[in-house]
Amino acid sequence: MLTTFRQLDDSDATPKYMQVERMLREALATDALRPQDALPAERDLAEELGVSRITIRKAIGTLVDEGLLHRRHGAGTFVTGSAQRIEKSSSKISSFSEDMAARGLRSHSEWISRSSGSVTPEESINMGLSPGAPVFRFNRIRYADELPMALEYSTIDANCLRSLDAVESSLYKALAETGNRPTRALQRLRAIAFDEGRAELLKMPLGSPGLLIERRGFLKNGRLVELTTSYYRGDAYDFVAELSD
Ligand code: 16G
């Protein structure tokens, strides 16, 4: 692995950390470093390139901020990029936590916000709830291991959950506790390019491809429980539909 990196040029007056950064960018551009590859330990890289660990850390830090690399706690630094693709069958109604667990990935979420309120006029029409009906809103960044995979904005009929705090790691788990996990869903998919705000939250370059998925989740009796808009990274998901005549 180390031999794939070119040595720094001693006669170059550019600060060393910028040279390391440029060298790493080249390695990424030429596929010497490929998606999911682990970078050598900072100590080894510093030794190999004849610079300090601080210099290495600074160069890597810039690329982490740009989302080209990411750190996994206790495991090191890895190349971002096309994540392990998750194949999702659209005929089964599953949750993000279940999808990840089925692939041996650890899921967790970071809260963007959670709040209680009442339906907007648009939600009232979309959800078939009376104007002023109480709802909870859960806005989350969803992670698979340490990789941000999706942004999810959910509006839930407040009568379907014990409380706003009932949702911890899984929304569907909390809904199941009150017997209100959706049993049927309608989904709409659309291709998008990530704008600046969402690209930043997902640590992806501006304009990266994504999938916008709107899910309406219903109970057996036809009542709508969930209205969720998800933004999935386009390089991580394959949606599979089974069709028959
Ligand atoms: C999935 C659903 C989303 C649901 C969430 C619950 C799609 C496109 N969307 O991401 O509608 O709210 O799972 O996940 O599949 P959780 O139970 O792990 O919070």
Side-chain angles (χ1 to χ4, degrees):
M1 165 78 71
L2 282 179
T3 50
T4 60
F5 296 127
R6 81 171 160 68
Q7 290 296 308
L8 304 183
D9 180 357
D10 276 342
S11 63
D12 190 339
T14 315
K16 286 280 186 273
Y17 76 90
M18 287 172 78
Q19 289 191 47
V20 174
E21 190 188 310
R22 199 189 314 139
M23 184 276 292
L24 287 171
R25 281 185 202 281
E26 277 171 24
L28 291 167
T30 56
D31 270 358
L33 276 176
R34 301 172 61 87
Q36 306 304 307
D37 274 356
L39 250 67
E42 287 177 2
R43 180 181 1 98
D44 295 339
L45 254 182
E47 201 170 296
E48 171 76 14
L49 298 172
V51 296
S52 71
R53 280 180 75 172
I54 294 169
T55 300
I56 298 288
R57 200 164 306 146
K58 197 164 172 185
I60 288 178
T62 306
L63 300 182
V64 167
D65 288 345
E66 287 179 22
L68 295 170
L69 303 176
H70 61 276
R71 294 193 172 101
R72 282 190 210 145
H73 192 66
T77 306
F78 295 82
V79 179
T80 316
S82 47
Q84 174 187 351
R85 289 188 82 85
I86 307 290
E87 199 165 286
K88 188 168 164 66
S89 157
S90 60
S91 62
K92 271 217 129 201
I93 174 160
S94 56
S95 71
F96 182 86
S97 314
E98 291 161 350
D99 289 342
M100 297 306 131
R103 280 147 192 99
L105 299 170
R106 247 179 342 105
S107 61
H108 73 277
S109 304
E110 198 180 308
W111 290 102
I112 300 171
S113 63
R114 69 166 128 185
S115 59
S116 56
S118 46
V119 280
T120 62
E122 204 180 314
E123 284 167 347
S124 155
I125 304 277
N126 280 334
M127 298 180 78
L129 293 172
S130 315
V135 287
F136 292 143
R137 294 179 217 284
F138 302 101
N139 299 336
R140 300 175 286 174
I141 308 175
R142 317 283 331 243
Y143 289 81
D145 286 338
E146 300 306 315
L147 194 67
M149 294 284 276
L151 303 175
E152 288 198 315
Y153 304 86
S154 302
T155 303
I156 307 294
D157 179 343
N159 295 308
C160 293
L161 284 169
R162 271 188 287 107
S163 69
L164 184 63
D165 299 329
V167 177
E168 291 173 3
S169 59
S170 164
L171 170 63
Y172 276 18
K173 193 165 162 237
L175 286 169
E177 281 163 10
T178 52
N180 288 317
R181 180 183 164 125
T183 55
R184 189 176 74 86
L186 273 179
Q187 280 188 184
R188 185 157 73 172
L189 278 76
R190 181 153 37 101
I192 53 142
F194 280 113
D195 61 22
E196 206 174 335
R198 298 205 168 98
E200 205 169 296
L201 288 172
L202 286 175
K203 296 200 188 322
M204 296 195 79
L206 175 66
S208 304
L211 273 176
L212 187 162
I213 306 162
E214 281 172 352
R215 178 182 282 190
R216 284 172 169 66
F218 302 89
L219 297 181
K220 257 211 173 65
N221 62 14
R223 188 167 135 202
L224 191 133
V225 191
E226 167 191 26
L227 186 63
T228 294
T229 305
S230 309
Y231 295 83
Y232 280 83
R233 16 185 327 151
D235 62 357
Y237 259 77
D238 284 344
F239 277 83
V240 180
E242 187 181 284
L243 309 173
S244 55
D245 62 3

